[in-house]
Amino acid sequence: MYAAEASMAATSFLRNPVRIRPTTSHNILITKSLPWNHKCQCSSTRSSNVSVDEDKSVFSVTPATKYDVDYLGEKTKGDLNVKLESLEAFGIDGQATLEGPIEEVARMEAEEAEGLLKDLGIRSPFSSRQSPRGIFCSRTLNLRSISAIGYDMDYTLMHYNVIAWEGRAYDYCMENLRKVGFPVDGLAFDPDLVIRGLVIDKEKGNLVKADRFGYVKRAMHGTTMLSNRAVREMYGRELVDLRKESRWEFLNTLFSVSEAVAYMQMVDRLDDGTIAAQLGPLDYKGLYKAVGRALFRAHVEGQLKSEIMSKPELFVTPDPELPLALLDQKEAGKKLLLITNSDYHYTDTMMQHSFNRFLPNNMGWRDLFDIVIVSARKPEFFQMSHPMYEVVTGEGLMRPCFKAVTGGLYSGGSAQMVENSLDIHGDEILYVGDHIYTDVSQSKVHLRWRTALICRELEEEYNALIGSRGHRESLIELTNQKEIVGDLFNQLRLASQRRTKGRPAQTLAATNLADQELSDSMQKLLIVMQRLDQKIALLLESDGELFNKRWGFLSRAGFWDKSHLMRQIEKYADIYTSRVSNFLHYTPFMYFRSQEQTLAHDSYSYYCSKIYGSAADNEVNSMS
């Protein structure tokens, strides 16, 4: 059910008395007689408040000038409050409206609320999180305190068909390479060759996947995956450092796919000597520049975007829920901004195609946004000031201006100009984009805006993780077995070592083991561990292949650790999700609360309590 439909159903539900007996033993009567439940009587007929629309005087909204900070450090600006003086006008004591311990009251209210949500066809926030269409929270965010929401367009509001869009970008890139003499015959676009979050090593002609610390876990030279030993020998003593832009290139957006595929294929051509000598002495860095120039020409010359504008239906995946999600936010009082690097003509064509047919009451896409900025030149838009121009005609003619106004369409400018025009600053603004650097990190680092990352692959990743549960459980079980067997082997090895020096083993029982018994036990355990290693290695190699056979999961590097991409997301994105329309399954008043972060010591304690139970507790107590 769309949020708008759910809202209408809820309004009708509250305005019309109705008795429901859905999933609870309680009878709930919704009436219009009182603005508050005079008493919490969950086991009997109850009265509910009138809606906000019927009597706005009952409620007040915390203004920006009088906000407080809650116990999680979030502003209370935008929170809805009950006016106690309004309650008194109805003869109700606001302090006595809920009787009994709040823990018991809240438990019963939560049970009934859960039933009502189900009857209204609305998913609870908890179930929404456990979904590939969920919104996931890295840092607690109160949407009520957000006054303005800015959006990027490409791969954010506009969901391209990656194979179609990047495939054509690849074709134009390769054609431009052909024109300057590069051998490209026989090459074809392979979208499975790379995934977002990988890093190009321009010195070695490699594509690598790093963990959150920067250690390389998988690598590919050209289009050939490297062995674990080769990776270790090549990168064992160095880390991926994205600050060294001359060497490392982070693939942090889907726009990087076509470039990376073309580059890795051309590395193969450079290695096999088929690149003509007249192109000059090329190393891997020079080759990367050549591929980048070829792709840049495809964008600058406008051939690619002209083709997309002429047939947008071939390149854009329509999302009917997307305009409705933005409409909810606008009607909730949020200022909506569109800030894109695309030019005016491209933006207007694509937004008309994707938005206008799904908006009600003959609205156009421009009606959604308070301010539209094209050719924004991000990331510089967030870093420095550039001249701003107002787009004044449908042909795109512009004139200089110094301040943006509501309903305006502009080119260039800066984020600070937007803040000053709206009189909204810093963490009152949420910016939503797909590019970790251009959209998310720069708006947070320079302006302290709140941030949301759009990562379309999350849906496929989520489903792949669910599909891999059995595989990963087997890996965990085998790894735990290896750890226990290995610990016994190490203890026997230490006992053998002490025996050769004429010293007793750690325990009397180990000291009294016969030499042959000790040797036989060690041999048996060693064989078991070697066979376990072979099995674990095979499982590790195939871990994540449901998402990508070469690189595994987007969010993980190796079995246990997060990927470098996931570390960047957690560091810079307050929330992240697969598409903007996922906001429709929440509300514009949502309070996103970050989940508990596990630590090595507390997760191990939890593991001990589950596996070893009281035995572990007794051991800990005896050691303390």
Side-chain angles (χ1 to χ4, degrees):
M1 180 183 292
Y2 294 152
E5 295 171 348
S7 176
M8 288 169 32
T11 301
S12 172
F13 182 85
L14 293 174
R15 290 180 177 175
N16 299 291
V18 59
R19 190 182 301 276
I20 41 181
R21 203 187 304 261
T23 57
T24 172
S25 60
H26 307 310
N27 295 330
I28 307 171
L29 180 65
I30 306 296
T31 75
K32 298 189 290 185
S33 59
L34 292 174
W36 190 264
N37 297 331
H38 188 54
K39 290 184 178 180
C40 181
Q41 299 173 343
C42 298
S43 59
S44 62
T45 299
R46 306 181 47 204
S47 299
S48 179
N49 59 297
V50 295
S51 70
V52 179
D53 291 335
E54 289 184 351
D55 188 0
K56 293 181 180 175
S57 64
V58 175
F59 300 97
S60 65
V61 177
T62 303
T65 55
K66 296 183 179 179
Y67 72 84
D68 200 349
V69 176
D70 66 18
Y71 52 84
L72 293 179
E74 291 296 304
K75 292 180 179 178
T76 59
K77 182 178 73 69
D79 283 1
L80 198 66
N81 311 293
V82 174
K83 296 180 180 178
L84 295 181
E85 61 270 21
S86 298
L87 294 178
E88 293 169 359
F90 284 89
I92 299 173
D93 181 0
Q95 300 301 318
T97 54
L98 297 174
E99 293 183 350
I102 188 59
E103 296 88 348
E104 182 63 21
V105 171
R107 183 186 64 79
M108 291 188 289
E109 290 291 325
E111 289 177 357
E112 293 188 351
E114 189 174 16
L116 284 172
L117 285 169
K118 185 175 181 180
D119 280 322
L120 292 172
I122 301 172
R123 290 186 295 178
S124 72
F126 298 108
S127 64
S128 296
R129 279 202 299 263
Q130 306 303 318
S131 161
R133 296 285 301 274
I135 296 178
F136 307 101
C137 183
S138 301
R139 180 188 173 207
T140 297
L141 171 66
N142 181 7
L143 269 190
R144 298 189 291 272
S145 70
I146 297 297
S147 300
I149 305 178
Y151 287 100
D152 173 49
M153 186 181 74
D154 297 307
Y155 280 125
T156 301
L157 294 179
M158 204 65 51
H159 278 299
Y160 296 113
N161 179 319
V162 177
I163 295 178
W165 209 106
E166 296 303 315
R168 290 304 290 150
Y170 170 91
D171 292 340
Y172 281 111
C173 174
M174 300 307 273
E175 182 58 31
N176 288 334
L177 286 173
R178 182 199 305 276
K179 289 177 181 178
V180 295
F182 281 91
V184 298
D185 291 340
L187 297 178
F189 180 61
D190 180 3
D192 295 323
L193 193 64
V194 302
I195 60 173
R196 187 205 302 243
L198 301 179
V199 184
I200 293 177
D201 180 352
K202 291 179 281 189
E203 284 188 3
K204 300 182 182 296
N206 293 343
L207 191 60
V208 305
K209 185 176 187 179
D211 66 13
R212 59 189 166 125
F213 303 108
Y215 290 98
V216 175
K217 294 298 183 180
R218 296 190 186 187
M220 180 171 71
H221 181 76
T223 59
T224 303
M225 296 299 296
L226 300 179
S227 67
N228 291 335
R229 178 170 180 173
V231 171
R232 178 76 177 181
E233 291 175 349
M234 196 174 296
Y235 293 106
R237 300 183 64 179
E238 58 183 334
L239 304 176
V240 170
D241 185 354
L242 298 179
R243 293 170 298 181
K244 297 180 179 178
E245 297 179 4
S246 62
R247 177 174 181 182
W248 307 103
E249 189 70 26
F250 190 34
L251 309 183
N252 55 18
T253 174
L254 289 172
F255 278 128
S256 305
V257 171
S258 52
E259 180 181 36
V261 171
Y263 176 63
M264 301 317 294
Q265 291 176 339
M266 295 312 298
V267 166
D268 286 342
R269 295 291 165 98
L270 181 63
D271 288 344
D272 63 23
T274 56
I275 294 180
Q278 58 264 32
L279 290 174
L282 280 176
D283 57 9
Y284 296 123
K285 275 190 178 181
L287 182 63
Y288 179 79
K289 289 180 181 178
V291 172
R293 283 194 299 267
L295 188 60
F296 182 72
R297 279 185 56 198
H299 288 285
V300 169
E301 292 174 356
Q303 299 167 304
L304 177 59
K305 287 194 172 181
S306 294
E307 181 178 343
I308 293 171
M309 289 168 64
S310 66
K311 298 179 180 178
E313 66 279 2
L314 299 181
F315 297 93
V316 178
T317 303
D319 190 345
E321 295 182 337
L322 176 55
L324 301 179
L326 269 61
L327 194 58
D328 277 347
Q329 294 171 354
K330 185 175 183 66
E331 292 173 348
K334 312 296 184 187
K335 301 287 187 183
L336 296 188
L337 319 171
L338 176 61
I339 305 173
T340 174
N341 282 353
S342 291
D343 61 70
Y344 164 69
H345 292 293
Y346 183 79
T347 299
D348 185 53
T349 300
M350 303 309 290
M351 291 295 289
Q352 282 193 46
H353 172 77
S354 297
F355 273 69
N356 287 7
R357 53 184 160 154
F358 301 123
L359 286 168
N361 304 323
N362 296 316
M363 288 180 65
W365 73 269
R366 287 283 306 281
D367 297 319
L368 282 173
F369 296 95
D370 293 85
I371 294 177
V372 175
I373 297 178
V374 299
S375 303
R377 297 176 64 182
K378 297 177 293 182
E380 292 181 6
F381 180 84
F382 298 115
Q383 301 167 346
M384 59 188 70
S385 181
H386 287 295
M388 177 181 281
Y389 300 90
E390 182 182 9
V391 181
V392 293
T393 70
E395 290 72 33
L397 293 178
M398 298 182 290
R399 65 186 176 198
C401 66
F402 302 97
K403 186 175 182 179
V405 297
T406 299
L409 171 62
Y410 304 95
S411 176
S414 69
Q416 286 190 337
M417 295 176 73
V418 171
E419 287 188 333
N420 294 337
S421 298
L422 296 174
D423 195 24
I424 300 173
H425 304 276
D427 62 3
E428 295 179 274
I429 303 175
L430 171 68
Y431 191 68
V432 186
D434 72 295
H435 198 293
I436 292 177
Y437 178 73
T438 299
D439 295 322
V440 175
S441 75
Q442 294 305 291
S443 60
K444 177 173 288 294
V445 168
H446 292 281
L447 299 159
R448 291 297 184 264
W449 287 7
R450 305 306 298 269
T451 52
L453 182 80
I454 301 301
C455 182
R456 187 59 181 266
E457 309 96 299
L458 274 176
E459 293 176 26
E460 184 183 350
E461 162 115 338
Y462 187 97
N463 291 326
L465 284 166
I466 297 297
S468 301
R469 277 180 176 173
H471 179 96
R472 297 177 68 81
E473 286 172 1
S474 297
L475 252 174
I476 291 172
E477 182 179 3
L478 290 174
T479 304
N480 290 338
Q481 292 170 356
K482 164 75 184 298
E483 185 173 349
I484 295 171
V485 171
D487 189 54
L488 175 58
F489 174 82
N490 291 336
Q491 294 293 338
L492 296 180
R493 183 177 179 181
L494 179 59
S496 176
Q497 175 183 300
R498 289 187 179 184
R499 183 168 296 189
T500 61
K501 302 298 182 181
R503 295 193 295 117
Q506 308 89 296
T507 65
L508 182 61
T511 302
N512 291 335
L513 280 175
D515 289 346
Q516 190 61 44
E517 186 179 2
L518 181 61
S519 177
D520 290 346
S521 297
M522 290 177 63
Q523 289 179 42
K524 179 182 176 181
L525 293 173
L526 192 58
I527 292 172
V528 170
M529 287 192 296
Q530 289 173 344
R531 293 186 62 184
L532 278 173
D533 282 343
Q534 294 172 357
K535 183 69 174 180
I536 291 171
L538 289 174
L539 289 175
L540 277 175
E541 189 174 341
S542 60
D543 183 46
E545 66 178 9
L546 285 181
F547 183 78
N548 185 279
K549 291 186 177 181
R550 291 181 178 88
W551 301 105
F553 293 114
L554 197 75
S555 59
R556 296 187 179 275
F559 182 66
W560 303 108
D561 217 340
K562 298 173 183 176
S563 66
H564 209 55
L565 172 69
M566 197 66 232
R567 173 66 183 124
Q568 296 289 312
I569 292 175
E570 289 183 333
K571 184 176 181 179
Y572 295 115
D574 298 315
I575 55 177
Y576 62 98
T577 189
S578 63
R579 56 179 93 184
V580 172
S581 60
N582 293 343
F583 279 104
L584 191 63
H585 303 296
Y586 296 78
T587 73
F589 320 110
M590 182 68 186
Y591 195 115
F592 292 102
R593 181 170 51 84
S594 62
Q595 300 180 36
E596 177 188 7
Q597 302 298 301
T598 59
L599 306 172
H601 57 280
D602 64 11
S603 62
Y604 182 72
S605 299
Y606 176 79
Y607 169 78
C608 284
S609 67
K610 287 293 184 182
I611 301 300
Y612 299 111
S614 59
D617 296 333
N618 294 334
E619 183 176 355
V620 170
N621 292 333
S622 66
M623 294 172 62
S624 59

